[in-house]
Amino acid sequence: MSGDHILTVDRLMMRFGGIVAVNELSFAAERRKITALIGPNGAGKTTVFNCITGFYRPSGGAIRLAHDDGRTIQLERLNDFRISKQAKVARTFQNIRLFPGMTALENLMVAQHNALMRASGLTLLGLLGLPSWREAEQRAIELARTWLNRVSLLDRADDAAGNLPYGDQRRLEIARAMCTEPALLCLDEPAAGLNARESGGLNELLLSIRNEQGTSILLIEHDMSVVMEISDHVVVMDYGVKIAEGTPQAVRDDPKVIAAYLGADEEEAIAVMESGT
Amino acid sequence: MSANSARPSPAAQPSGSAFILKKALISALVALVLFSLMIGVRTEAGPQGGLIYWTRFGDLAALVGAVFGGSIIVELLRQWWGPVDKDSIVPKPVQSAISFAGRWLAPALLVFAFLVPVIFYNQRYILDLSILVLTYVMLGWGLNVVVGLAGLLDLGYVAFYAVGAYSYALLATNFGLSFWVCLPLAGILAAFWGVLLGFPVLRLRGDYLAIVTLAFGEIIRLVIINWQSLTGGPNGVSGIPRPTMFGIPLTPGDDGLAARLGIEFSPTHRLVFLFYLILAMALLTNWVTIRLRRLPIGRAWEALREDEVACRALGINTTTTKLTAFATGAMFGGFAGAFFATRQGFISPESFTFQESALVLAIVVLGGMGSQLGVALAALAMIGGFELFRGFDQYRMLVFGIAMVLLMIWRPRGLIGHRAPTVFLERNQAISSDLVKEGHG
Ligand SMILES: Nc1ncnc2c1ncn2[C@@H]1O[C@H](COP(=O)(O)OP(=O)(O)OP(=O)(O)O)[C@@H](O)[C@H]1O
Ligand SMILES: [Mg+2]
């Protein structure tokens, strides 16, 4: 646990009534690295994401985000939309949440809302159709086009998001998150429901986001081939607590991790052991 | 069903003639069972107090026959008008004719609207009715921002209409301000009330939101009734100044418009003026809404309707976004209210009942939420159609109700259910209505 951390989660607690979904969890995510958060079903991974992205207010603990420029933001004190707007944390959802009745391009335009609002002079300049607004809109369309191209959806730009196949929707959601130009990208099971070829493409996409954009990625994933192949650091959770962390190899051979997966689900345990060999 | 089972289309709905026949037969059978007792046999108390009965099999047969025939027609129409990109048995030429008509309908309607005072110059009744229709078109377009775009179900829209009307009426009668000064003020005041309403309801969704807005509409009406000293209570405000053409009154006097132009005075002049005034106001509403849809705020409204959680994850302030939707819709309602006051010259709380809210909401829902053209058509059909049936008197409500039910069965998403994208790279293609969410939260 050395180096430059963008995200530091410190003794995070999340209770729902009597249930302790996350219990004194501490970990850190390194800047410009891919950190994976894994664990059996119900371990509390999505809950951690919801705390980081402001959908839940943690019952205790601290979440610190350190920006490139040295600013440190206490995420647990901000709520919902400010986390994306001010702290520049973007996320995707375990069950995809696109705007199904809007086109792929429109989805990416909505993601640039805050930048475009400023450019449209809080709507007034835009209403008059001033040239400065037109330029800003063109730039936004270009950014959207770039990302559509990156996730190979350029030819589906004008199709309704709800009409796209499942794998395309997953990629579109990542593109949409990237259009907010985040410092930290949180992906909740991006490979769920993808076939082998699609998940290979996803690996490349995530690596290129890390390498070209320099975005740090926090990743929840069940698909061990994805975790083993692309993550730089792995944090393993079970029943709301951290049971192991380290490099993918170290975690894979950790008996505690194998036991947790064996106890939870045999198939997954086997997947852990077989992948990466 | 067998007629087209070989068709490869995955979404193919049964549409063969065998299917239609089967469906009609089932409907006829249900009608037979239902009506055999209700119509087939009639009972009455006899002169001795005993029960006498007689049969009316002829009527029964006619009714069952009508259900059978009607069911076939309904099914055929349903398939004609079915949602976009679904298989249908409508021949290609008819389809292309419909899409051609669709493309030219809006411009044709607009040209027609401009010509109405010319064509119907001598028919006061039609001019009056057109003004009424346009008022509802404007109200529909205003409410469309809230319900159709932002997906917030507002059952109290009439409140803003009332605020606009009373703002103008009171400012004009008490301070002698002119219509053109009061118009923006009425809009601003209504928008202000929209924001005030917005705050408490922001956390609410769906049914709760609808109920609170409904209550708000009633509260405004009750305040108007009870605040006698300001609003005149149930007696309303009378003697509201008529609008002037930028300072020139439309009166028979020497300084009136007719005298200045050197033409003979006619009360129709004012009607024509009012017509073009509301037409201009409605078109402004339309223009602003179309512009707003293509601006980030409008996209955020629609995104909010589609998925509020995703909006928050993208850094959109859902609170202010909802408030702006409420305020914008309320502002248009306020403008329309000011127009209403100047047209009537007299307003009272009776004009601002829940029924008005329901009517405007029906126009928006019937028109296809979010569609500007659909809302205009629905206003025309509802207000104009309602007048059309005036002769039928007691059946008016019945026919009207049946027509609405039928329409909602054929086009559950309104007359124009599909959504036009606000921006595109290559193809500007409509989005099928079954993908577009309705929001309400
Ligand atoms: N809003 C909530 N209210 C009550 N309990 C909750 C809530 N959200 C999560 N939980 C509970 O917290 C625990 C952790 O859930 P969470 O969704 O975080 O698991 P997960 O690790 O993401 O699992 P999966 O791999 O299935 O997605 C579960 O027992 C769940 O029932
Ligand atoms: Mg989860």
Side-chain angles (χ1 to χ4, degrees):
Chain A
M1 285 258 288
S2 63
D4 181 13
H5 293 149
I6 182 161
L7 179 80
T8 314
V9 174
D10 190 14
R11 279 172 290 143
L12 180 70
M13 283 288 280
M14 188 70 220
R15 281 189 216 96
F16 298 106
I19 305 171
V20 183
V22 179
N23 194 358
E24 303 261 321
L25 178 78
S26 302
F27 70 91
E30 264 182 273
R31 199 181 303 283
R32 290 189 195 83
K33 290 282 159 65
I34 298 180
T35 307
L37 188 59
I38 67 169
N41 288 103
K45 307 178 296 290
T46 300
T47 307
V48 172
F49 260 40
N50 283 337
C51 291
I52 293 173
T53 53
F55 283 87
Y56 293 158
R57 187 161 285 257
S59 322
I63 306 168
R64 275 187 303 278
L65 189 84
H67 272 291
D68 286 354
D69 57 11
R71 270 185 314 148
T72 305
I73 299 177
Q74 298 281 128
L75 291 187
E76 78 277 7
R77 296 205 188 132
L78 290 182
N79 58 358
D80 57 31
F81 77 93
R82 286 195 187 82
I83 294 214
S84 168
K85 188 177 176 180
Q86 291 163 12
K88 293 275 159 212
V89 177
R91 73 170 289 179
T92 65
F93 294 87
Q94 189 165 348
N95 32 11
I96 307 172
R97 295 201 101 134
L98 289 167
F99 306 118
M102 302 175 91
T103 65
L105 176 64
E106 283 181 305
N107 268 272
L108 302 195
M109 294 295 280
V110 173
Q112 302 176 55
H113 176 81
N114 287 317
L116 284 175
M117 264 318 247
R118 246 171 284 126
S120 72
L122 299 176
T123 305
L124 285 178
L125 302 183
L127 208 53
L128 300 174
L130 294 194
S132 66
W133 154 248
R134 294 243 178 82
E135 277 164 33
E137 189 182 31
Q138 272 314 315
R139 275 199 306 277
I141 292 175
E142 281 316 309
L143 181 66
R145 190 201 291 272
T146 314
W147 277 105
L148 283 168
N149 199 17
R150 287 278 292 273
V151 297
S152 21
L153 283 174
L154 198 51
D155 53 331
R156 311 284 321 246
D158 300 321
D159 287 330
N163 255 346
L164 298 177
Y166 193 79
D168 289 357
Q169 294 198 10
R170 281 253 176 245
R171 290 203 310 281
L172 182 61
E173 206 189 9
I174 296 175
R176 188 180 67 178
M178 286 310 294
C179 276
T180 64
E181 310 202 293
L184 175 68
L185 176 65
C186 302
L187 304 170
D188 199 343
E189 303 200 15
L194 301 192
N195 60 35
R197 190 176 49 80
E198 286 174 322
S199 104
L202 178 75
N203 287 353
E204 272 167 42
L205 174 66
L206 296 187
L207 287 174
S208 84
I209 287 177
R210 182 193 66 182
N211 298 338
E212 288 168 36
Q213 263 66 39
T215 308
S216 318
I217 297 178
L218 185 61
L219 175 79
I220 294 179
E221 194 44 76
H222 274 302
D223 185 334
M224 285 305 152
S225 68
V226 174
V227 174
M228 294 301 147
E229 210 165 296
I230 65 170
S231 45
D232 303 298
H233 188 78
V234 182
V235 178
V236 192
M237 278 180 80
D238 195 13
Y239 295 112
V241 294
K242 181 172 79 182
I243 56 169
E245 77 175 308
T247 60
Q249 284 71 26
V251 162
R252 194 186 59 209
D253 302 331
D254 191 320
K256 270 188 290 189
V257 177
I258 297 170
Y261 271 89
L262 273 175
D265 189 326
E266 209 157 334
E267 272 173 25
E268 277 173 321
I270 291 163
V272 176
M273 288 182 281
E274 281 180 351
S275 57
T277 49
Chain B
M1 264 203 237
S2 55
N4 67 341
S5 57
R7 235 180 260 181
S9 163
Q13 274 201 331
S15 58
S17 48
F19 169 77
I20 294 177
L21 220 61
K22 196 171 127 194
K23 218 171 159 180
L25 267 175
I26 294 175
S27 308
L29 202 73
V30 172
L32 181 69
V33 171
L34 261 179
F35 293 140
S36 57
L37 286 178
M38 283 164 63
I39 289 167
V41 185
R42 183 156 170 99
T43 55
E44 221 168 70
Q48 270 87 48
L51 199 67
I52 56 167
Y53 74 94
W54 64 96
T55 53
R56 296 188 296 187
F57 289 132
D59 292 357
L60 179 64
L63 225 105
V64 170
V67 168
F68 182 74
S71 165
I72 290 178
I73 293 172
V74 165
E75 196 53 37
L76 279 176
L77 278 176
R78 198 222 290 274
Q79 289 179 8
W80 271 29
W81 281 57
V84 276
D85 48 73
K86 278 256 171 73
D87 251 346
S88 70
I89 55 171
V90 185
K92 267 274 170 294
V94 178
Q95 268 179 3
S96 61
I98 289 177
S99 88
F100 178 80
R103 215 168 319 128
W104 289 100
L105 193 55
L109 267 181
L110 187 63
V111 171
F112 177 72
F114 270 103
L115 292 179
V116 161
V118 181
I119 302 172
F120 301 106
Y121 186 77
N122 289 321
Q123 283 157 288
R124 278 198 65 128
Y125 172 68
I126 298 212
L127 277 184
D128 254 329
L129 183 60
S130 319
I131 292 175
L132 191 68
V133 169
L134 281 175
T135 313
Y136 279 97
V137 169
M138 178 162 177
L139 284 172
W141 279 341
L143 183 61
N144 194 23
V145 171
V146 186
V147 181
L149 295 186
L152 303 163
L153 188 51
D154 183 353
L155 288 180
Y157 192 58
V158 77
F160 310 122
Y161 191 41
V163 168
Y166 272 88
S167 303
Y168 170 59
L170 295 176
L171 286 172
T173 50
N174 292 335
F175 303 105
L177 294 180
S178 88
F179 177 74
W180 297 103
V181 176
C182 292
L183 187 65
L185 284 179
I188 290 168
L189 279 170
F192 173 72
W193 281 104
V195 173
L196 271 195
L197 163 67
F199 269 114
V201 305
L202 281 171
R203 259 162 266 280
L204 305 174
R205 300 165 144 269
D207 311 345
Y208 303 103
L209 175 74
I211 289 168
V212 173
T213 52
L214 173 82
F216 184 76
E218 286 301 288
I219 289 171
I220 291 267
R221 196 172 60 87
L222 291 175
V223 166
I224 290 174
I225 290 180
N226 289 300
W227 197 348
Q228 294 254 2
S229 56
L230 181 74
T231 63
N235 300 329
V237 183
S238 55
I240 303 167
R242 300 314 194 120
T244 56
M245 201 161 166
F246 307 105
I248 309 171
L250 296 150
T251 51
D254 278 345
D255 57 346
L257 183 71
R260 289 200 195 185
L261 290 178
I263 53 173
E264 202 179 327
F265 173 77
S266 151
T268 313
H269 291 168
R270 191 172 72 216
L271 227 49
V272 171
F273 174 70
L274 282 174
F275 178 89
Y276 282 118
L277 177 61
I278 186 66
L279 183 62
M281 282 166 61
L283 287 179
L284 181 77
T285 308
N286 185 32
W287 181 81
V288 170
T289 311
I290 290 176
R291 278 312 273 257
L292 284 177
R293 266 197 81 209
R294 296 186 186 142
L295 287 170
I297 188 71
R299 287 207 193 98
W301 289 339
E302 290 201 79
L304 201 64
R305 175 193 69 202
E306 298 280 318
D307 193 327
E308 189 176 338
V309 170
C311 279
R312 293 205 309 238
L314 294 174
I316 295 175
N317 186 341
T318 50
T319 309
T320 51
T321 306
K322 282 184 187 176
L323 280 181
T324 50
F326 262 114
T328 310
M331 182 182 71
F332 291 134
F335 288 152
F339 174 82
F340 176 76
T342 190
R343 178 178 94 108
Q344 299 289 97
F346 164 75
I347 52 169
S348 74
E350 268 163 56
S351 311
F352 308 106
T353 55
F354 169 65
Q355 217 184 337
E356 293 295 306
S357 294
L359 185 59
V360 179
L361 186 66
I363 286 173
V364 173
V365 173
L366 206 63
M369 298 202 294
S371 160
Q372 298 293 100
L373 177 61
V375 168
L377 287 176
L380 187 64
M382 301 253 320
I383 309 299
F386 204 62
E387 284 300 315
L388 213 67
F389 284 110
R390 198 173 269 287
F392 294 85
D393 224 12
Q394 53 174 323
Y395 297 112
R396 190 152 78 138
M397 259 329 206
L398 185 71
V399 170
F400 193 66
I402 292 176
M404 266 198 84
V405 169
L406 288 183
L407 235 149
M408 284 338 274
I409 292 174
W410 291 326
R411 319 243 349 139
R413 300 303 295 268
L415 286 172
I416 300 187
H418 55 77
R419 173 180 176 271
T422 59
V423 58
F424 60 92
L425 284 186
E426 253 115 50
R427 289 158 294 143
N428 187 3
Q429 53 187 13
I431 296 167
S432 154
S433 60
D434 27 314
L435 291 172
V436 181
K437 292 266 189 319
E438 284 172 44
H440 297 332

